[in-house]
């Protein structure tokens, strides 16, 4: 597939094969949006459920959430807030969490941005266990802001993903027929990439 070509007929998720697989060890595979040169349809898909929502700010989770979140923020004409791994920002609030591998980590956000009444859409790349997203939600809500919803290229249907889907408005880019592949952390389109 030509990474610069945009097909005339664009079915839901047509751009997913453009996202190269990346691995986080022997078990965890995910889609890397840094290869996705055509963000327009991906961002539109992420924003579909939020068309009638007031969104004041878009927050992106370190690091791939920065790419997608920035594109969403620009599309909406709104500001962007980075939710970072701890140690990178000045004057912050922190939140501990367990990532997809079960490793304990710490993330942070600046204290001078989030205020009561501010409506925030949180964007990440792939939600596996939900631990990272839940920590980001806590950071936003603990400062009085409201989480309008969450958006990610993929949300797995494990315990954490199901909890997030049941408790927050959400969007993802995965057509129903590909959800089982996402849950197994391998898309058939990965076969098109050489190691």
């Amino acid at each position: 597939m030509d990474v610069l070509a945009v097909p005339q007929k664009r079915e839901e998720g047509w751009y997913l094969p453009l996202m190269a697989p990346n691995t986080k060890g022997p078990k965890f595979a995910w889609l890397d949006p840094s290869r996705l040169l055509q963000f327009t349809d991906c961002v539109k898909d992420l924003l579909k459920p939020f068309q009638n929502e007031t969104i004041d700010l878009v927050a992106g989770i370190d690091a791939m959430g920065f790419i997608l979140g920035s594109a969403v923020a620009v599309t909406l004409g709104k500001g962007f807030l980075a939710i970072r791994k701890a140690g990178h920002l000045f004057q912050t609030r922190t939140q501990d969490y367990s990532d997809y591998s079960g490793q304990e980590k710490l993330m942070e956000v600046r204290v001078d941005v989030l205020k009561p009444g501010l409506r925030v859409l949180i964007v990440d790349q792939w939600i596996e266990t939900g631990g990272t997203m839940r920590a980001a939600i806590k950071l936003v809500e603990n400062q009085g802001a409201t989480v309008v919803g969450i958006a990610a290229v993929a949300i797995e249907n494990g315990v954490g993903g199901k909890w997030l889907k049941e408790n927050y408005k959400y969007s993802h880019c995965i057509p129903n027929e590909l959800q089982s592949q996402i849950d197994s952390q391998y898309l058939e389109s990965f076969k098109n990439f050489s190691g």
Side-chain angles (χ1 to χ4, degrees):
M1 177 177 254
D2 180 357
V3 298
L4 299 177
V6 177
Q8 290 293 335
K9 185 174 185 223
R10 297 183 281 209
E11 295 180 16
E12 183 181 19
W14 72 268
Y15 45 80
L16 293 172
L18 295 175
M19 294 186 199
N22 199 331
T23 59
K24 301 186 217 177
K27 182 178 176 196
F28 301 100
W30 44 276
L31 296 169
D32 179 358
S34 64
R35 185 172 183 262
L36 184 59
L37 302 175
Q38 181 52 261
F39 271 117
T40 307
D41 288 343
C42 180
V43 169
K44 283 180 188 174
D45 286 348
L46 289 175
L47 288 173
K48 275 181 194 173
F50 305 105
Q51 290 177 358
N52 296 321
E53 294 286 343
T54 299
I55 298 171
D56 301 313
L57 182 70
V58 177
I61 298 175
D62 202 337
M64 288 297 181
F66 296 170
I67 295 170
L68 294 171
S70 294
V72 169
V74 167
T75 299
L76 292 173
K78 301 296 180 180
F80 176 79
L81 175 66
I83 298 178
R84 302 286 319 260
K85 294 171 185 147
H88 298 286
L89 300 173
F90 180 70
Q91 295 182 332
T92 65
R93 292 249 171 118
T94 60
Q95 179 64 50
D96 60 329
Y97 68 102
S98 295
D99 72 1
Y100 63 91
S101 69
Q103 188 175 16
E104 292 295 319
K105 294 188 175 182
L106 196 64
M107 68 171 44
E108 65 186 5
V109 67
R110 293 179 53 109
V111 296
D112 61 347
V113 177
L114 297 169
K115 307 283 183 225
L118 197 66
R119 298 177 53 81
V120 182
L121 175 64
I122 304 176
V123 180
D124 201 3
Q125 164 215 13
W126 187 298
I127 298 172
E128 293 170 274
T129 63
T132 305
M133 181 60 75
R134 284 179 82 163
I137 289 169
K138 286 180 184 176
L139 279 171
V140 171
E141 291 179 344
N142 286 345
Q143 292 188 65
T146 300
V147 175
V148 174
I150 60 172
V153 172
I155 303 173
E156 291 182 26
N157 277 330
V159 173
K162 286 180 182 176
W163 185 90
L164 288 165
K165 288 177 176 181
E166 290 167 2
N167 289 280
Y168 291 89
K169 186 176 248 188
Y170 69 92
S171 67
H172 60 86
C173 300
I174 305 303
N176 289 334
E177 64 271 13
L178 295 180
Q179 185 64 52
S180 64
Q181 291 179 41
I182 292 301
D183 294 341
S184 67
Q185 300 174 333
Y186 185 82
L187 285 176
E188 289 298 315
S189 64
F190 288 178
K191 292 177 184 175
N192 298 327
F193 293 92
S194 58

